[in-house]
Amino acid sequence: VFEVWLGWIYDWTNIFEKPLATYLTSVSSDHTHILGKSLAKIQKDKMWIIKPGVPIYTPIWNKLMVEWTKKAWWILKTIKDKIPTNLNWSHQKRNASLVYHSLTNLGFDPKKILNWLQNIQIKWRIDFIEPDILLDWCHNLWWVKELKKFIKTLKYSRIITVFATTRSNEELLGFCNIINWEIKILTKPKIFRTRKPKDFENVIQWNKIIINNPREALDYAKSIKKDWDLIVVYWSLFLIWNILKILES
């Protein structure tokens, strides 16, 4: 199984000329600095992973998808139902349905597929690595909204967030407008392409604590944590890796 990162032009998965199946789970405003800001443009780019004569499993049914299916000789499998799964996110039941229908069509045992879908473990997606530390590498605004919905179902006194800088003011402001809990610690993952937290000092208007080093940011979060508080580390996969290495050591 290979995951496509950036659609057609920019993605290496196009070396596979005849995969068994392809999937397009959704189209949202992601990687807009490369794919463009129009959802139609993003969908066009992503649809090029679909190959002639290969089934494409998707919940997407719109004019663009239908027209391109006819032109490109795709085998369109539009899936609208939902399959139960133990994953927390609301959209995962839809994704589970795509997996179920594609694997059953390939000849796999339906009962085994359903059992597997009930026992999936995805690292760093709503991952309680300690009883009071939650990791989630939600990488766009939609994911952040889903994270907020999930945390609202939990019974904690305060939420202490540790999150990473980005490359754009607009992106970080979008995250901050969604996740606006009591204590917010902004840090920089150990990767060259993210900006320094101080670059956002005048961009973010609400109260925040700026700590450049991820280890120091986590240590501070743990030092101020009280009983029934939850530490949430989110947004950057690179920050998640940094925090995991710190906890392991």
Side-chain angles (χ1 to χ4, degrees):
V1 178
F2 291 90
E3 180 181 5
V4 177
W5 280 81
L6 285 174
W8 170 59
I9 301 170
Y10 307 99
D11 202 79
W12 65 273
T13 51
N14 282 287
I15 64 172
F16 300 107
E17 296 180 357
K18 194 79 173 178
L20 291 174
T22 55
Y23 305 83
L24 184 51
T25 57
S26 64
V27 175
S28 59
S29 296
D30 199 8
H31 303 295
T32 53
H33 60 293
I34 295 175
L35 301 180
K37 295 187 177 181
S38 159
L39 288 180
K41 188 178 184 305
I42 293 171
Q43 181 178 331
K44 283 180 182 178
D45 193 273
K46 289 191 172 188
M47 287 196 305
W48 278 103
I49 68 154
I50 309 168
K51 312 299 182 191
V54 176
I56 165 66
Y57 293 86
T58 181
I60 298 168
W61 176 263
N62 56 28
K63 184 179 179 182
L64 187 60
M65 181 66 78
V66 173
E67 286 179 352
W68 279 42
T69 298
K70 290 177 181 176
K71 283 194 295 185
W73 296 94
W74 295 338
I75 303 173
L76 181 60
K77 304 281 187 181
T78 307
I79 309 296
K80 292 292 188 181
D81 61 344
K82 295 183 179 181
I83 297 289
T85 177
N86 67 314
L87 297 178
N88 287 302
W89 302 110
S90 59
H91 70 286
Q92 294 290 13
K93 292 180 176 60
R94 181 193 65 215
N95 291 345
S97 182
L98 301 181
V99 172
Y100 175 79
H101 288 288
S102 63
L103 292 184
T104 52
N105 287 344
L106 288 169
F108 288 87
D109 185 336
K111 290 183 179 179
K112 288 183 178 180
I113 299 168
L114 289 173
N115 180 63
W116 173 69
L117 289 169
Q118 292 291 330
N119 296 281
I120 299 174
Q121 296 295 325
I122 298 181
K123 294 293 289 181
W124 316 327
R125 282 288 193 209
I126 307 189
D127 192 355
F128 281 93
I129 55 169
E130 291 184 11
D132 52 7
I133 300 180
L134 174 65
L135 299 186
D136 195 275
W137 61 285
C138 43
H139 59 283
N140 59 35
L141 295 180
W142 189 91
W143 280 105
V144 175
K145 289 175 184 176
E146 290 293 305
L147 174 62
K148 184 175 183 179
K149 285 181 193 174
F150 174 74
I151 292 177
K152 279 187 172 181
T153 67
L154 306 177
K155 305 296 182 182
Y156 287 93
S157 298
R158 296 185 305 171
I159 307 297
I160 302 169
T161 55
V162 180
F163 62 107
T165 56
T166 70
R167 283 175 290 179
S168 79
N169 295 353
E170 182 183 14
E171 193 172 42
L172 190 62
L173 278 172
F175 286 122
C176 296
N177 288 334
I178 298 168
I179 302 287
N180 194 16
W181 281 303
E182 294 87 350
I183 302 171
K184 298 161 282 289
I185 303 169
L186 180 63
T187 189
K188 181 186 184 301
K190 293 183 178 180
I191 179 173
F192 69 91
R193 66 187 189 193
T194 56
R195 291 161 60 190
K196 294 178 181 178
K198 285 191 175 180
D199 292 347
F200 297 96
E201 201 156 14
N202 297 321
V203 175
I204 305 170
Q205 299 304 316
W206 40 255
N207 293 332
K208 72 276 184 187
I209 300 160
I210 292 178
I211 302 177
N212 288 312
N213 183 285
R215 179 184 289 276
E216 293 173 5
L218 180 63
D219 286 345
Y220 178 76
K222 294 177 87 169
S223 72
I224 63 172
K225 182 193 162 300
K226 299 176 181 178
D227 291 341
W228 298 104
D229 286 352
L230 176 66
I231 297 172
V232 179
V233 182
Y234 78 102
W235 156 234
S236 166
L237 183 57
F238 301 103
L239 177 61
I240 299 294
W241 285 339
N242 293 161
I243 296 296
L244 284 170
K245 290 296 181 185
I246 292 164
L247 292 170
E248 286 172 6
S249 64

